[in-house]
Amino acid sequence: MSDHKPRVLATRLFPPAVEARLQANFDAVLNPRDVVYDADQLVQAADGCTGLMCAAGDALNAAAIARFPDTLRIIATFSVGYEHIDVAAAAKRGIVVTNTPDVLTDATADITLLCLLGAARRAQEGIDMLRGRRWEGWAPTQLMGTHVTGKRLGIVGMGRIGQAVADRARAFRMTIHYSNRRRLPPDQENGAIFHADPEAMLGHCDFLSLNCPLTADTRHWLNAARIARLPDGAIVVNTARGPVVDDAALIAAVRSGKLASVGLDVFDGEPRLNPGYHDLPTAFLLPHMGSATLETRNAMGFRALDNLEALLLRGETPPHVVTVA
Ligand code: 8YV
């Protein structure tokens, strides 16, 4: 019977409940060893497939998309970000691209606050001291960090995740500044201060949180010149995409003391991060865990499946189609 089901390639190993639904509804080609396919392997594995369930980091560039089989109708990414897919190249071949918005907003906003607090309160050094069996007891001047409550937080990119970060930061009585392509309506703005020019916002940011997508405009946006506009001792948090910052500039700013610290969940070229980060004792670093809760990863998978099933099983437009910006 499975011969009659549309064939869908899972490019990665997905959570069990997600793979179970994929197998129930499709002729699923799984990747149980979770090999990260290069472009050639992707093209080969997609042979005979009508759909692809993929993830960030997959090499879905124009060259790979041009070689996908004619049978392929949809690329459903298990992520909200889709910078790893050449959407224009897919459109040219009539391949629909979908993503998984909303369901990872809370998990990602939570981890943004974890990064903010971790960096501000020198959590990495505290953990290292304890685990390295070097803690000799409480001391009045030990590991003094930066106070969070009541400070100013600037958010670059006030979409779903940026707004959820602002909601959480309000519980810390932070003053919220933001920059976004468009100003939010008052009910969503909720007292946050809008800056049409993101550069003009930087001087107001004791903390800066990057929550924008990676695009040609945001690539290496936080460079040396913009870091210089932040107040001395500011803290930068990035849970969006690594290439939004210029790593060399960010590392130099922490080393010089211009920035007190950084809290990062994403890295340019991850998983091979700039080695300079390893030498920053204050940096609070996580391995791209923003959406890593079982509930969220299941919800992302189910959303990707909603997209695949709409098109391939019912001939409907998927609920979360992305288009060329
Ligand atoms: C995902 C993410 O887990 O959804 C996104 O855009 O950044 C992550 O949290 C990852 O991209 C999986 O594809």
Side-chain angles (χ1 to χ4, degrees):
M1 283 306 280
S2 73
D3 289 349
H4 302 296
K5 293 175 182 169
R7 181 172 294 178
V8 173
L9 169 69
T11 67
R12 301 296 303 269
L13 174 68
F14 293 105
V18 173
E19 293 207 337
R21 183 168 139 190
L22 185 70
Q23 284 184 293
N25 294 339
F26 296 101
D27 173 14
V29 181
L30 302 181
N31 180 357
R33 289 190 298 119
D34 204 21
V35 175
V36 181
Y37 297 138
D38 63 21
D40 287 344
Q41 290 168 315
L42 274 177
V43 171
Q44 212 174 354
D47 189 40
C49 289
T50 53
L52 221 67
M53 192 196 281
C54 66
D58 284 338
L60 293 161
N61 50 35
I65 288 172
R67 290 157 60 212
F68 277 141
D70 290 339
T71 48
L72 195 74
R73 299 178 58 202
I74 174 168
I75 298 174
T77 187
F78 177 92
S79 58
V80 64
Y82 50 89
E83 74 294 327
H84 53 294
I85 306 170
D86 191 322
V87 181
K92 228 187 265 171
R93 293 209 53 199
I95 301 169
V96 174
V97 178
T98 63
N99 70 341
T100 65
D102 300 317
V103 288
L104 45 68
T105 299
D106 285 326
T108 308
D110 289 349
I111 216 127
T112 303
L113 267 291
L114 178 62
C115 288
L116 189 152
L117 289 165
R121 300 303 302 272
R122 302 179 62 178
Q124 189 63 57
E125 291 161 279
I127 292 165
D128 289 347
M129 181 190 283
L130 204 65
R131 296 231 181 242
R133 296 177 160 78
R134 283 180 279 103
W135 189 37
E136 289 176 359
W138 186 90
T141 57
Q142 190 174 67
L143 292 178
M144 294 185 294
T146 303
H147 201 68
V148 170
T149 299
K151 292 282 178 67
R152 299 167 298 175
L153 169 65
I155 299 176
V156 178
M158 197 66 150
R160 290 171 287 250
I161 297 172
Q163 289 174 52
V165 169
D167 285 346
R168 285 153 176 74
R170 284 185 188 101
F172 290 86
R173 300 197 298 278
M174 298 184 94
T175 305
I176 315 295
H177 294 254
Y178 76 100
S179 71
N180 199 42
R181 270 175 304 182
R182 55 176 184 89
R183 184 168 181 173
L184 299 180
D187 59 318
Q188 284 174 38
E189 202 169 63
N190 204 357
I193 300 156
F194 175 62
H195 297 262
D197 174 5
E199 301 209 14
M201 178 177 81
L202 293 172
H204 303 275
C205 303
D206 302 312
F207 293 84
L208 181 73
S209 178
L210 301 172
N211 296 103
C212 53
L214 175 63
T215 64
D217 291 338
T218 62
R219 182 172 292 275
H220 291 176
W221 182 80
L222 191 63
N223 57 17
R226 293 191 175 108
I227 291 171
R229 300 181 74 140
L230 289 165
D232 291 345
I235 286 176
V236 170
V237 173
N238 187 8
T239 57
R241 284 293 183 261
V244 175
V245 307
D246 172 343
D247 282 335
L250 197 66
I251 291 164
V254 178
R255 276 210 191 113
S256 71
K258 165 68 189 174
L259 296 177
S261 188
V262 289
L264 308 175
D265 183 48
V266 288
F267 301 89
D268 200 355
E270 61 187 44
R272 282 170 291 279
L273 51 154
N274 186 314
Y277 284 120
H278 294 292
D279 302 327
L280 298 179
T282 63
F284 185 79
L285 310 177
L286 295 175
H288 200 146
M289 290 167 60
S291 64
T293 67
L294 178 62
E295 294 89 336
T296 301
R297 291 281 163 88
N298 277 342
M300 290 163 69
F302 297 150
R303 192 142 279 198
L305 283 162
D306 291 343
N307 289 318
L308 288 162
E309 290 164 9
L311 186 74
L312 299 179
L313 302 185
R314 297 192 299 278
E316 294 167 5
T317 302
H320 304 289
V321 174
V322 302
T323 49
V324 188

